[in-house]
Amino acid sequence: MSLRAVAQHLGWGRHTVQRYARAASWQDMVKGRKRQLPSKLDPFKPYLAARWAETGGRVTVLVLFREIRARGFRGHYSIVCDWIRRDLPLREGFTPAPPPPSVRQVTGWLTRHPATLTEEDKLHRKAVLDRIPGLASAAELTSSFAEMLTTLDGLRLPEWITAATTSGLPGISTFAAGLEGDFDAVTAGLTTDWNSDPVEGAVNRIKMLKRQMFGRAGFPLLRKRVLLA
């Protein structure tokens, strides 16, 4: 039988049948299809390993990168850096620096309520703000806007917009300019107790029901579930 006929007989995809047909043993299928692709760095790895051993690991990655660039390497610095950190031994007594915080972590330190931060989070937050003055301004503006939002103190909005616009922070300045475009509605949202939470909740419930029934039932049953759920 042809591969296409086998695929039709088994109900499999033709490419799946093709992989099984080409495999020399079942172990080849267990290992998966991932294979090591050649790298631009391969011709320079012996030189890098020799230089690393010669200096006892005390040469910097930047120096090695410049040396192999002079020898014809056309890849990125990150390729060299990742390979050295992964495959070459650390020098004796060397303690690697802790990884820098991710964007998600820093965002959490700046936007979460201070009462919810652990002592370790507070130390990390202070260290980041001490190193980046511009980020300290962003944190202050974010906290003041969050306070306005939770205390429904919308009368402070003009003052906040002025401070955000003159801060020179790209994202926050743009956000403040957008608030000015619909100032009355934003002020009302930051002042009154009314909000669209009930409407958003109903919309999310309807979307959940629709996703549960997608491809399984028609509109009459969806209508009954929406009305009776």
Side-chain angles (χ1 to χ4, degrees):
M1 298 175 65
S2 65
L3 296 181
R4 187 181 299 275
V6 172
Q8 292 175 351
H9 177 73
L10 297 176
W12 292 4
R14 184 168 58 86
H15 293 293
T16 302
V17 174
Q18 192 175 60
R19 290 199 305 273
Y20 273 96
R22 291 177 177 176
S25 62
W26 63 268
Q27 287 88 344
D28 294 340
M29 299 303 298
V30 173
K31 293 177 183 177
R33 291 175 291 169
K34 186 177 180 180
R35 58 189 179 88
Q36 188 68 32
L37 298 177
S39 169
K40 295 179 181 179
L41 191 61
D42 288 343
F44 304 93
K45 287 179 180 179
Y47 175 82
L48 292 173
R51 288 281 289 124
W52 189 262
E54 175 188 335
T55 60
R58 298 184 182 280
V59 62
T60 64
V61 178
L62 182 59
V63 169
L64 294 178
F65 173 71
R66 288 172 176 170
E67 289 180 2
I68 61 174
R69 286 281 290 184
R71 287 166 170 76
F73 178 65
R74 292 296 175 264
H76 294 286
Y77 170 81
S78 59
I79 299 177
V80 182
C81 189
D82 291 342
W83 181 78
I84 289 177
R85 289 177 177 175
R86 185 181 64 249
D87 292 354
L88 294 183
L90 296 176
R91 69 172 183 264
E92 187 176 352
F94 175 77
T95 302
S102 65
V103 174
R104 181 184 294 272
Q105 287 177 310
V106 176
T107 303
W109 298 335
L110 299 181
T111 57
R112 285 160 51 196
H113 194 282
T116 64
L117 296 176
T118 64
E119 291 301 323
E120 184 179 1
D121 289 339
K122 292 178 182 178
L123 292 176
H124 287 313
R125 183 181 189 274
K126 184 178 184 304
V128 170
L129 296 183
D130 289 344
R131 291 177 64 89
I132 311 175
L135 198 58
S137 302
E140 183 178 353
L141 289 169
T142 302
S143 299
S144 59
F145 188 85
E147 184 180 353
M148 249 195 319
L149 186 64
T150 54
T151 59
L152 296 179
D153 191 8
L155 298 178
R156 292 169 46 199
L157 183 60
E159 175 188 349
W160 187 90
I161 289 178
T162 301
T165 305
T166 57
S167 67
L169 300 171
I172 293 181
S173 299
T174 305
F175 175 69
L179 296 181
E180 286 184 321
D182 204 2
F183 182 80
D184 292 338
V186 176
T187 303
L190 292 175
T191 307
T192 65
D193 293 327
W194 300 98
N195 57 65
S196 61
D197 285 353
V199 177
E200 294 295 335
V203 171
N204 287 335
R205 180 175 62 86
I206 293 173
K207 288 182 177 179
M208 178 195 69
L209 294 174
K210 186 181 75 169
R211 292 189 183 103
Q212 287 177 342
M213 298 173 55
F214 182 77
R216 297 183 176 89
F219 179 76
L221 180 58
L222 173 62
R223 181 176 180 273
K224 284 187 177 181
R225 288 198 63 187
V226 170
L227 294 177
L228 301 177

